[in-house]
Amino acid sequence: MPRRIKPLDVYRLLPKLNCGKCGEPTCMVFATKLIERQTTLDKCRPLFEDPRFRENLRKLMELLRPPVKEVTIGVEPNAVKVGGKDVVYRHEWTWRNPTAIALDVHDGMGDEEVERRIKFVNEWFYERIEKRLGIDLLAVRCVSGSAERFVKFVEKVCKLTSKPLIVCTLDPATLEEVLKRIGSRRPLIYAATERNWREFADLAVKWSCPLVVSAPNDLSKLKSLVVSIVKNFGYEELVLDPGTLVSNGGFLDTISNFTALRYSAIEFGEREVGFPLMAIPATVWIFESGGTEELEFREAIIACSLVARYADILVMHSLSPWVYMAVLCLRDCLYTDPRVPPSVKPGLYEVGKPTPESPLVVTCNYALTVSLVRGDLEKSGIDAWLLVIDTEGTSVASAVAGKRFTADKIAEAVKELKLEEKVKHRSLVIPGYAAKIAGELEDLLPGWRVFVGPRESSDLPKFIREIWSKEVLGKA
Amino acid sequence: MSQERRVREERREAEARKVVADLLKLLSTADRLEFEDVVIDARELTIEFIPPSAPTGPTYLKLTVEPVGVPQPPGGKLEFILEVTPTGFRLLTPPVPGAVPITVPPIAAVPKLVEFIKVEYKYPSLEFKGSIAEVKIGATKAEGGTRSTVIKIGGDNKPPIFRFLGYVVNRPKVALDVFDTTIPLPRAVRDAYGDVLSNPYEWAKKCINVVKADLISFHLVSTDPGIKDVSPQEAAKEVEQMLQTIDIPFIVGGCGNPVKDLETFAKVAEVAANERLVLASVTFGMNIPKYVEVVKKFNHVALALIFMDVTQAKAICRRLMDLGLSKDRIILDPTTAALGYGTEYSFSAAERIRLAALRGDEDLQVPMSCAATNAWAAREAWMKLDAWGPREWRGPLWEAVTAMTMLLAGADLFMMMHPLAASIVKSVTEFMEKQTVRDVIEKEVSEYYSWVTKRY
């Protein structure tokens, strides 16, 4: 089981001044928040300023270090944090620092393609529960083999985006030239291999940039490289690339390797592999054949599987929204707090300014569904009453199947909230996915008409205008 | 910055590096320091030497600089802590509060001898004391049925794709959904199957011949009292016809009404006696003893549907077992939500159920099923929207990702719909049983870095 620290262990080492400089009323509250990862140690000024606490500071940093190190790529305000994982399984505790997603560009690409990709990274997003999810990083590859050309290219990319970079080259001289120009942006360096690790580690230390250590499909070699760098250079800003293989068998070996490394780091406390993991689904484009969509499809499957299996960074090549929608959607789901269902408080909500003549729409209390239904009605200018039923934060389709969205519950809510006083027409619209409960609901609510609405809330405005209005109000 | 100036600066940096290296050597031997003849471009510089707190602990230097010639930082001073390492020193992260970002890289000394330290990585030696029951679906002639094959699921003593503990005993299987009456289906699915959708038997054949389904999941939707309310007798005839049309094992799905389903299952089970079909599904709303009686009497397999919850899962399995159904007759469906519409609950419920089973909870040691078809409830799967790209790819991807997520959590049996999604999931499962052939991945390993250097 993962190591869980107790608030008292942390409290013992804090200054115990209750000075409030950290923004918390007491050191004990601060200690609790530190454990919950809701605040950071650097907020405690006395700890850093007063030499008497120096030893305690060291101990605290050690105590609070997550078994998978947190590594920062880039500089504020655009820095991206990866790793910092405390648990193997998300049901144990929230996974922190969502998998960062990088899109690649290289110095052999035409200007137009480069600009298209950077625009995608800068501007494209997929909206989900009022959040805008997009690409986090840009992976810049050297295909020209020319340091001069690559440096120019990287400088050009830097002018076009403020997103942090992953600099991809295996040549120390090229890397050195790049770092001289943009080292202060703190890019992630890809990668130290068995051939170049000394020079790469030296440059990473010199420029204080995080470094990927890479040994495809050979975990002993990977660990050896890490140990060599940590022992010789005292440097631990590392990310591990255990190789992303994409053939059918190789892909399973990769999933297995990611799992093993995460288990070793967290359950067995093996510090040498306690670093963020990088996956490179983009290798699909080298080793698999097929049409563009086929490769994109394959890349998406590999990316999603590795999001669920501990990847902290993904490097991708696809440029289609549907690929990133799936990856970002899964990431957004898996990185939520397992203790809190994304639910809305059940009850009656107003959309716009509803009157007794406005439609009464029933839905579940899954936050995403409520936000979609509300949004679709608002967008089309329909004022409505929205009755939200407690489905324990699950969607209508799941809740109907799992008997969470039942006629009983709706009837009870209608009576409890005295909805016959709110709406004159005594009718309600239930989602299409709940069609099977319509009959039972009419039996439970004598005098009420139950309309089975569309399955999808985007069709709801049309349904209300064309069917409900006509049937209930006698006008379309 | 001019070229000349850069060269000059680099030289200065190299010199500084050497000075620092020497300084560090001194620091490591001394516990008291005095500086002489030092020139520093600063109004004020304080170096605090913080000795190691333990024999092996790190040494720190705290530098407080009041610089000249640069924009003044807030408070007039820059402050940072450097950790002394065997080869130089590095900025301590997280940075000291109040310190401004440092753009000048810290100087590192090049170590004299940089040795490659060879160590071994040992895969975690995990042991699970529990194992999942093996459930057989379908019966051959020798076993009293008429199926050409028997499908086995479960039987493992480790989570899926923990290849360092071995390969899976039985790979997960993929069942393709077939509905006995026309229901609204997404465009991508209609396009993929075409005409056969109006004929469940032709549809099933296409699933077997073209998509290479391991099983069929035959949904008797027409029995729904709210749809056609087809009688149990008629439903049983449909099942008889399916038995004659296809020779692989299958799952029979009801309409979701617990009263009607039980009536339907009773008739279906009888006409298909000893075929070891899966009767999907039993819920807490159903007369469970009656359901178990039907399953036992006619020699079939139970599928219990619960709602993303470990306690419920335990309760329903316990109930079925108490009524005399053995573990090898039970499949558990913890409910699969569409990607983005509760995936995380399905994923974690399945993961928790499987881990509890492997850690010894006897109530949960049964295979799990996943209705990945539910993915199509998500608007992202089917809605036409140019900004989201072509739905003939987007939809199947949504279904495949929903399935893959549940596969990683431990699902042993998938109910799927789109050929593309089903075949990719099936192809993944096929490799779960066997060791990767070295030759296959050799090229991937040896040419790995071409992902960096090649154009594609």
Side-chain angles (χ1 to χ4, degrees), chain A residues 346-348 360-363 385-390 405-423 425-430 441-442 444-450:
Chain A
L348 188 69
L360 172 61
V361 175
V362 188
T363 192
W385 300 99
L386 187 60
L387 177 59
V388 174
I389 300 296
D390 186 4
F405 193 87
T406 60
D408 286 341
K409 279 194 186 177
I410 300 172
E412 203 184 298
V414 167
K415 285 170 192 161
E416 214 163 85
L417 296 164
K418 296 195 169 47
L419 296 188
E420 72 278 359
E421 293 169 15
K422 295 266 183 199
V423 291
H425 48 73
R426 293 210 170 188
S427 73
L428 45 82
V429 182
I430 63 170
L441 187 56
E442 284 201 321
L444 292 171
L445 289 174
W448 282 73
R449 280 183 79 182
V450 176

Side-chain angles (χ1 to χ4, degrees), chain B residues 148-380:
Chain B
S148 63
T149 52
V150 172
I151 296 289
K152 288 187 222 164
I153 55 171
D156 220 331
N157 61 353
K158 57 193 170 296
I161 325 187
F162 277 49
R163 286 162 91 82
F164 46 94
L165 302 179
Y167 303 92
V168 298
V169 175
N170 294 302
R171 70 174 177 87
K173 304 297 189 301
V174 178
L176 268 289
D177 284 326
V178 168
F179 298 89
D180 75 337
T181 191
T182 323
I183 58 158
L185 288 172
R187 184 57 185 261
V189 174
R190 276 184 285 144
D191 287 349
Y193 287 102
D195 294 344
V196 300
L197 291 180
S198 54
N199 180 329
Y201 311 105
E202 290 304 312
W203 185 353
K205 276 200 267 180
K206 191 164 187 172
C207 289
I208 296 166
N209 298 332
V210 181
V211 195
K212 312 287 178 211
D214 291 313
L215 301 91
I216 292 298
S217 183
F218 187 29
H219 298 271
L220 304 170
V221 184
S222 66
T223 59
D224 194 323
I227 301 178
K228 284 189 187 160
D229 204 13
V230 159
S231 71
Q233 286 78 8
E234 279 174 83
K237 273 188 199 148
E238 288 179 36
V239 170
E240 272 187 306
Q241 194 175 340
M242 191 57 89
L243 281 167
Q244 282 157 20
T245 310
I246 63 172
D247 66 357
I248 62 169
F250 61 99
I251 300 159
V252 175
C255 65
N257 176 317
V259 177
K260 180 65 186 283
D261 278 356
L262 191 51
E263 292 168 16
T264 308
F265 291 157
K267 281 287 166 212
V268 165
E270 195 177 344
V271 300
N274 298 319
E275 292 281 7
R276 210 147 52 199
L277 304 182
V278 180
L279 302 178
S281 33
V282 57
T283 59
F284 278 118
M286 192 176 270
N287 181 337
I288 299 179
K290 190 85 203 297
Y291 173 88
V292 170
E293 200 186 302
V294 167
V295 170
K296 278 202 317 202
K297 185 171 171 195
F298 299 109
N299 206 3
H300 294 296
V301 175
L303 192 147
L305 173 68
I306 53 96
F307 197 67
M308 307 180 187
D309 182 78
V310 184
T311 317
Q312 274 187 45
K314 266 181 79 75
I316 202 150
C317 291
R318 185 74 262 155
R319 181 105 175 93
L320 294 174
M321 288 183 216
D322 285 347
L323 289 164
L325 215 50
S326 53
K327 267 189 228 172
D328 60 0
R329 289 280 172 174
I330 303 170
I331 300 169
L332 178 69
D333 180 350
T335 300
T336 297
L339 171 59
Y341 294 78
T343 333
E344 62 274 39
Y345 296 100
S346 297
F347 177 74
S348 284
E351 230 176 17
R352 291 180 63 189
I353 290 169
R354 180 49 48 93
L355 281 173
L358 294 174
R359 285 170 183 160
D361 189 330
E362 302 218 357
D363 294 347
L364 297 170
Q365 293 168 345
V366 297
M368 284 190 289
S369 70
C370 155
T373 298
N374 292 344
W376 292 92
R379 57 164 69 179
E380 286 86 345

Side-chain angles (χ1 to χ4, degrees), chain B residues 1-65:
Chain B
M1 199 188 282
S2 74
Q3 188 61 35
E4 200 189 273
R5 198 170 144 209
R6 192 173 291 141
V7 170
R8 206 165 57 226
E9 290 216 354
E10 270 168 20
R11 196 174 304 143
R12 259 175 59 183
E13 198 181 283
E15 281 165 15
R17 207 185 285 175
K18 191 176 174 302
V19 171
V20 170
D22 294 341
L23 177 65
L24 286 168
K25 212 183 283 168
L26 275 173
L27 285 177
S28 63
T29 54
D31 53 5
R32 201 176 122 83
L33 287 170
E34 273 171 37
F35 289 95
E36 243 182 297
D37 296 334
V38 179
V39 181
I40 292 163
D41 278 349
R43 285 200 192 90
E44 195 187 312
L45 169 77
T46 323
I47 301 177
E48 250 182 274
F49 178 50
I50 308 161
S53 51
T56 56
T59 306
Y60 300 101
L61 289 183
K62 182 176 171 185
L63 269 70
T64 314
V65 190

Side-chain angles (χ1 to χ4, degrees), chain A residues 197-265:
Chain A
W197 66 275
R198 289 180 181 85
E199 294 90 340
F200 268 52
D202 191 38
L203 287 165
V205 172
K206 184 174 161 193
W207 291 92
S208 192
C209 290
L211 174 67
V212 180
V213 180
S214 170
N217 217 33
D218 186 342
L219 301 190
S220 285
K221 195 185 284 170
L222 185 69
K223 183 176 166 183
S224 302
L225 283 169
V226 171
V227 171
S228 301
I229 291 171
V230 171
K231 289 264 166 68
N232 284 306
F233 292 85
Y235 198 63
E236 294 197 39
E237 298 301 304
L238 305 177
V239 169
L240 310 185
D241 168 24
T244 303
L245 308 189
V246 292
S247 60
N248 268 321
F251 169 46
L252 297 178
D253 289 347
T254 294
I255 290 183
S256 187
N257 282 343
F258 273 65
T259 307
L261 288 172
R262 205 35 62 97
Y263 253 91
S264 295

